[in-house]
Amino acid sequence: FFGSFLNPEMSRGLDTLRGVNLPGAGARKAISALLGLGALAYGINESLYNVEGGHRAVVFNRLSGVKPDVYSEGTHFRLPWLEWPIIYDVRSKPRNIASLTGSRDLQMVNITLRVLSKPEVAHLPSIYRKLGVDYDERVLPSIANEVLKSVVAQFNASQLITQREQVSRLIRRNLMERAHDFHIVLDDVSITHLAFGKEYTAAVEAKQVAQQEAERAKFIVEKALQDKKSTIIRSQGEAKSAQMIGESLRDNPGFLELRRIEAAREIASVLSKSHNRVFLNADSLLLNLKEPITTKPI
């Protein structure tokens, strides 16, 4: 009856709907079961969370806030939508902290610390309430600068170099005490870089050069004194030798003949090794050993 009032397109649509077979009761149950299993799997997946090795977790509840419990490694249960975990890395993490501070003698010092830090596991809920997940970013730079400035100001620039171990030990103790107030554990604190301003560095270099020049001048003076002593000793030896020769000549005229023979032997040895022919007076070369020696009384 209503077909006479419909246009041709609408009539073809009704014929198509008449040809569609709607699912039966069994099919509807299967679809409902699949939907139920999917919802259950989603609920189980949202109810479980994993804590990896070297990590700990605290749980935030929409109704009660942060729970006081700390969850260790493994798989744990939570209420979907109502609770969610906050994961903390509790392994030691390295961090470099640089600071520009002044020494007791008003010299500017660039100092860098390497810090190994981790949170106290038992106080993770308190750390999350007060500092959040980036607790190290909020705390370590400020307390490290505070400790560095207070410790470096107790030493002169030269003492920072000569007493570096004592300075490092004092910084480590004070920084650990300050970090403990925020429930942060410092496994190691060490000075990795220590540098002074350009003016102080230039002054130290000039002082080293002056000390080296002073040591060099001291060495030259000592060498001159030793040379003087050596000259005096040599002169005394030569004078003693001349005295002894004079006494020998006075007491034993044969000594001069012996010296003459030694000189003639040395001259003859030199002439014998020469390839040239020499025509000289034997008396001038002390080779005429047959002539008697004439001496004047001393």
Side-chain angles (χ1 to χ4, degrees):
F1 172 76
F2 293 101
S4 58
F5 296 99
L6 299 176
N7 55 29
E9 290 79 3
M10 296 179 65
S11 299
R12 288 193 296 270
L14 288 175
D15 294 338
T16 303
L17 290 175
R18 292 191 191 100
V20 173
N21 294 323
L22 296 176
R28 288 195 297 270
K29 288 182 180 180
I31 294 173
S32 300
L34 290 175
L35 293 176
L37 289 176
L40 180 61
Y42 177 77
I44 293 174
N45 182 65
E46 291 297 315
S47 300
L48 300 177
Y49 65 93
N50 294 325
V51 179
E52 303 294 337
H55 294 72
R56 296 294 185 272
V58 296
V59 174
F60 178 81
N61 188 286
R62 290 181 182 271
L63 301 178
S64 59
V66 180
K67 290 186 174 182
D69 300 327
V70 178
Y71 298 88
S72 60
E73 303 166 2
T75 302
H76 302 276
F77 177 79
R78 70 184 180 96
L79 297 176
W81 185 81
L82 194 62
E83 296 177 345
W84 64 83
I86 298 96
I87 308 298
Y88 276 90
D89 187 351
V90 295
R91 296 171 294 187
S92 295
K93 294 185 295 183
R95 183 183 183 87
N96 291 327
I97 303 173
S99 177
L100 178 63
T101 182
S103 61
R104 190 169 64 181
D105 54 352
L106 304 180
Q107 297 294 333
M108 298 308 297
V109 183
N110 284 303
I111 186 169
T112 302
L113 289 182
R114 185 178 186 270
V115 180
L116 289 177
S117 64
K118 62 182 180 182
E120 292 184 10
V121 174
H123 295 89
L124 284 178
S126 175
I127 292 175
Y128 180 72
R129 289 192 192 97
K130 297 178 180 178
L131 301 174
V133 179
D134 56 343
Y135 62 94
D136 51 346
E137 292 282 348
R138 295 172 179 264
V139 174
L140 288 180
S142 58
I143 63 174
N145 276 280
E146 175 190 352
V147 170
L148 285 174
K149 292 182 184 299
S150 63
V151 172
V152 173
Q154 302 175 21
F155 297 87
N156 294 331
S158 59
Q159 292 175 336
L160 293 175
I161 300 176
T162 59
Q163 303 178 19
R164 180 165 180 166
E165 182 178 356
Q166 179 182 352
V167 174
S168 178
R169 185 166 56 249
L170 189 58
I171 291 175
R172 183 185 303 111
R173 186 191 67 187
N174 293 354
L175 190 56
M176 286 183 175
E177 291 176 356
R178 290 287 291 121
H180 182 70
D181 297 337
F182 298 94
H183 306 299
I184 298 176
V185 179
L186 301 182
D187 292 333
D188 182 66
V189 178
S190 57
I191 299 175
T192 58
H193 178 70
L194 183 65
F196 300 93
K198 296 181 179 179
E199 294 80 5
Y200 183 78
T201 303
V204 171
E205 292 177 354
K207 181 179 178 181
Q208 292 294 328
V209 171
Q211 289 179 347
Q212 292 175 1
E213 292 293 335
E215 291 294 330
R216 183 171 179 272
K218 182 179 178 181
F219 171 76
I220 293 174
V221 172
E222 291 180 354
K223 183 176 182 299
L225 291 175
Q226 293 297 327
D227 292 343
K228 180 180 178 181
K229 291 180 180 179
S230 176
T231 303
I232 293 174
I233 293 173
R234 190 183 303 110
S235 300
Q236 291 175 349
E238 292 176 354
K240 185 68 174 177
S241 177
Q243 182 182 359
M244 293 175 65
I245 291 174
E247 292 176 355
S248 298
L249 290 175
R250 182 186 59 193
D251 300 337
N252 187 7
F255 175 76
L256 184 59
E257 184 67 23
L258 178 62
R259 296 299 295 270
R260 181 183 176 186
I261 294 173
E262 291 177 353
R265 182 187 302 168
E266 184 177 354
I267 294 171
S269 176
V270 173
L271 293 176
S272 64
K273 295 178 182 179
S274 176
H275 298 287
N276 301 322
R277 292 185 178 183
V278 180
F279 298 94
L280 295 172
N281 187 0
D283 293 336
S284 62
L285 295 178
L286 301 177
L287 296 177
N288 191 5
L289 299 179
K290 295 181 179 181
E291 292 293 330
I293 300 175
T294 58
T295 59
K296 296 180 180 181
I298 299 175

